[in-house]
């Protein structure tokens, strides 16, 4: 029993230490955006985004023409993903004419549709083959990319990451920068 308690204490202590780390020991295949922003995928910022690959739309297929497109890679078991949904719902409402948010899960439709909370008020789709996820070399979720109407990735990361949130102010800036370039 004493040995079990010692092992448990060690594991819990290690887990707490890992959660407080500064990401300086993140494996090399994880790209550091900045000293405090880590993305769990290969960076495609400023590049042509990948082709949208959806196996099945769980909500009506959105009209993407002339709009910014955010692809949110997520799963029902991912608490960080679920934590971001209310903010993504607000973002979709605030920019309904300029932005389409697509929640793309690699889980079966039944699993995604059985999740009732938090409510998802943006487009839902699945890709159990993980085609787009693999193309972006995503190693962890949540992960999102935002593409401008020309298909260029203008934002990537976790929308609710402290200090790097993709909120309405950041989204407005992305839209305004795009419109300024088009003039």
């Amino acid at each position: 029993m004493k040995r079990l308690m010692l092992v448990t204490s060690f594991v819990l202590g290690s887990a707490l230490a890992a959660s407080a780390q500064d990401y300086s020991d993140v494996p090399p295949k994880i790209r550091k955006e900045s000293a405090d922003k880590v993305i769990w995928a290969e960076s495609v910022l400023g590049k042509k985004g990948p082709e949208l690959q959806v196996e099945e739309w769980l909500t009506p297929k959105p009209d993407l023409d002339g709009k910014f497109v955010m692809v949110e890679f997520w799963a029902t078991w991912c608490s960080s993903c679920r934590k971001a949904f209310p903010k993504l719902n607000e973002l979709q409402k605030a920019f309904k004419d300029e932005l389409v948010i697509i929640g793309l899960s690699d889980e079966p439709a039944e699993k995604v549709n059985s999740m009732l909370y938090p409510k998802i008020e943006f487009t839902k789709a699945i890709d159990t083959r993980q085609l787009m996820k693999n193309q972006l070399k995503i190693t962890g979720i949540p992960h999102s990319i935002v593409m401008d109407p020309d298909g260029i990735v203008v934002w990537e990361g976790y929308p609710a990451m402290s200090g790097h949130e993709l909120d309405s102010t950041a989204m407005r800036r992305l839209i305004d920068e795009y419109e300024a370039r088009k003039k």
Side-chain angles (χ1 to χ4, degrees), residues 29-183:
K29 69 180 189 177
I30 306 300
R31 180 181 174 275
K32 290 180 84 168
E33 176 81 7
S34 66
D36 62 341
K37 182 180 181 183
V38 174
I39 63 169
W40 304 98
E42 186 173 289
S43 178
V44 290
L45 194 62
K47 299 176 184 172
K48 184 79 170 166
E51 178 184 343
L52 182 62
Q53 297 181 23
V54 170
E55 182 178 332
E56 180 182 350
W57 293 99
L58 304 181
T59 54
K61 183 179 177 181
D63 176 16
L64 306 176
D65 192 38
K67 295 186 179 183
F68 280 76
V69 176
M70 174 184 196
V71 182
E72 168 74 7
F73 297 90
W74 72 284
T76 58
W77 53 263
C78 174
S79 61
S80 294
C81 300
R82 295 167 66 131
K83 180 182 176 183
F85 289 167
K87 292 180 189 237
L88 294 178
N89 289 339
E90 290 173 15
L91 202 58
Q92 183 62 86
K93 284 179 193 169
F95 296 95
K96 66 180 186 286
D97 296 329
E98 300 156 300
L99 171 69
V100 172
I101 299 176
I102 301 169
L104 188 60
S105 177
D106 58 12
E107 298 173 297
E110 304 77 39
K111 182 86 169 170
V112 172
N113 285 331
S114 70
M115 189 188 84
L116 302 176
Y117 184 80
K119 186 176 180 183
I120 297 175
E121 298 172 359
F122 46 86
T123 304
K124 293 189 296 185
I126 61 166
D127 177 24
T128 61
R129 298 167 295 166
Q130 302 182 24
L131 297 175
M132 196 171 178
K133 188 175 181 182
N134 290 338
Q135 188 176 353
L136 290 168
K137 298 179 181 157
I138 296 173
T139 60
I141 57 172
H143 182 74
S144 303
I145 60 169
V146 177
M147 295 176 279
D148 69 19
D150 297 330
I152 304 300
V153 177
V154 294
W155 192 92
E156 60 187 8
Y158 170 45
M161 179 180 263
S162 181
H164 301 281
E165 296 87 353
L166 181 62
D167 56 15
S168 58
T169 302
M171 191 67 223
R172 174 52 52 206
R173 181 180 45 78
L174 293 173
I175 293 169
D176 290 347
E177 287 172 358
Y178 174 80
E179 290 174 352
R181 282 192 311 271
K182 289 301 177 181
K183 289 183 181 178

